[in-house]
Amino acid sequence: MRIYRCFLELIIIALLALGTLCAQEISISGYVLDATDSVALTGASVSILDGEGTLMGGTTTGSEGEFSLLTRLAESAKVRITFVGYSPIVI
């Protein structure tokens, strides 16, 4: 009976560890600049979309066009950048 209890505890620990691995978060950071003259685009919207196009997270760029966001890991995530007067970009 004691062996089964130890085995059950090991299974529970393994499942908890697996759940932690599946919920990994990643940090995405960078700069949004105008392609022609490299001017920083302050206030641009940066969004992370999963493979189905569902919003996973987002932020806006700072005064130098910088952004950083933390999101959960997705297999086919895409980054969408939008800014007034510019066509949206999906990478």
Side-chain angles (χ1 to χ4, degrees):
M1 187 70 159
R2 183 170 224 191
I3 293 173
Y4 292 116
R5 183 173 179 208
C6 288
F7 184 68
L8 182 61
E9 288 174 357
L10 286 174
I11 290 175
I12 291 172
I13 291 170
L15 289 174
L16 289 173
L18 181 61
T20 302
L21 289 174
C22 291
Q24 285 183 347
E25 291 190 332
I26 58 169
S27 176
I28 299 174
S29 59
Y31 291 87
V32 178
L33 309 172
D34 182 285
T36 342
D37 54 13
S38 298
V39 172
L41 299 181
T42 303
S45 175
V46 181
S47 305
I48 305 299
L49 310 171
D50 67 10
E52 298 173 357
T54 304
L55 181 66
M56 296 172 51
T59 189
T60 56
T61 58
S63 61
E64 296 180 11
E66 78 281 359
F67 71 91
S68 180
L69 58 92
L70 192 64
T71 188
R72 68 186 190 289
L73 187 61
E75 193 170 311
S76 59
K78 294 183 171 137
V79 177
R80 179 179 60 198
I81 303 168
T82 58
F83 190 69
V84 176
Y86 289 79
S87 297
I89 293 179
V90 178
I91 302 169

